[in-house]
């Protein structure tokens, strides 16, 4: 409209059929929501063979035991550690277990699926621990990835065995044995560990272990 005179009342009619490309909003929105979009990503959960469910005990509330903790320490799993534990050239992984569950080792198969290792029974012995972190590293220099699992949570107090970290030795075929006190004395009562990393501190070619946690200083274990 151009050069419209003032002091008059105008009645305008808008024809949506001639001007609006979307006549029914609800139909248009539903078509957008139901139209499949090709992302190139496929759900292969069933084919993967990873039949695992983390079973956290949500009935326990950390704040009821310690009012001033910044966050709950008993619900931080499950962390995952990755390494080729049996020397077949493909990566396997260990998933930390919640209190009452125990960790599980999954071995990758040539077809890229995974199978729970029979050695998971070793980790089941420590199912009363709350696994809060894990890392693979060569603890004894034999070239095989060993496993360090950090325990935490608030369900136990003081020097309870369930709060002690564990070290499992690998025989190179993916079979693990717990040897915490023999290989890393002091690791089983270090404190409330929440993370660990391997780094060659003194440049001697051997990986050293640094652990950190709540209410404790960073601690170095030299190899």
């Amino acid at each position: 409209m151009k050069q419209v005179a003032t002091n008059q009342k105008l009645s305008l009619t808008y024809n949506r059929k001639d001007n609006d490309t979307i006549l029914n909003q609800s139909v248009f929105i539903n078509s957008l929501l139901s139209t499949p979009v090709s992302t190139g990503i496929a759900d292969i959960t069933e084919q993967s063979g990873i039949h695992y469910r983390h079973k956290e005990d949500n009935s326990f509330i950390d704040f009821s035991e310690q009012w001033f903790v910044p966050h709950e320490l008993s619900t931080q799993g499950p962390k995952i550690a990755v390494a080729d534990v049996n020397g077949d050239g493909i990566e396997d992984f260990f998933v930390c277990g919640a209190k009452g569950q125990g960790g599980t080792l999954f071995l990758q198969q040539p077809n890229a699926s995974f199978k729970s290792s029979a050695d998971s029974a070793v980790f089941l012995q420590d199912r009363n621990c709350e696994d809060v972190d894990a890392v693979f590293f060569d603890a004894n220099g034999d070239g095989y990835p060993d496993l360090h699992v950090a325990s935490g949570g608030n369900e136990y107090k003081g020097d309870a065995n369930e709060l002690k970290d564990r070290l499992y030795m690998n025989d190179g075929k993916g079979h693990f044995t717990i040897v915490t006190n023999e290989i890393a004395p002091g690791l089983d009562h270090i404190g409330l560990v929440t993370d660990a990393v391997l780094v060659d501190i003194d440049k001697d070619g051997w990986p050293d272990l640094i652990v950190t946690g709540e209410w404790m200083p960073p601690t170095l274990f030299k190899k």
Side-chain angles (χ1 to χ4, degrees), residues 28-58:
F28 173 72
I29 293 174
N30 288 332
S31 67
L32 289 179
L33 296 176
S34 61
T35 301
V37 178
S38 177
T39 63
I41 300 175
D43 184 353
I44 59 169
T45 305
E46 289 302 320
Q47 300 95 300
S48 70
I50 305 175
H51 303 295
Y52 178 86
R53 181 182 294 275
H54 189 68
K55 302 175 183 177
E56 196 71 62
D57 180 13
N58 294 318

Side-chain angles (χ1 to χ4, degrees), residues 89-189:
I90 49 181
E91 290 184 326
D92 315 296
F93 72 92
F94 171 84
V95 55
C96 292
K99 177 179 177 290
Q101 184 175 15
T104 305
L105 177 66
F106 285 94
L107 303 177
Q108 187 172 179
Q109 307 302 301
N111 64 353
S113 66
F114 289 84
K115 182 180 180 180
S116 177
S117 170
D119 256 39
S120 293
V122 175
F123 311 118
L124 190 62
Q125 296 175 10
D126 298 308
R127 60 184 175 274
N128 287 331
C129 298
E130 177 83 25
D131 299 345
V132 296
D133 208 352
V135 61
F136 282 108
F137 73 108
D138 184 6
N140 58 354
D142 60 1
Y144 307 135
D146 308 303
L147 179 63
H148 168 223
V149 181
S151 302
N154 241 332
E155 289 133 311
Y156 299 101
K157 302 288 190 300
D159 295 326
N161 288 328
E162 291 81 2
L163 293 176
K164 298 178 179 179
D165 287 11
R166 292 101 64 201
L167 179 63
Y168 302 90
M169 300 301 294
N170 182 5
D171 66 355
K173 299 179 181 179
H175 305 306
F176 288 83
T177 306
I178 187 167
V179 291
T180 307
N181 291 329
E182 293 87 340
I183 301 297
L187 187 61
D188 62 349
H189 58 269

Side-chain angles (χ1 to χ4, degrees), residues 6 14 21 50:
T6 60
Y14 177 76
T21 57
I50 305 175

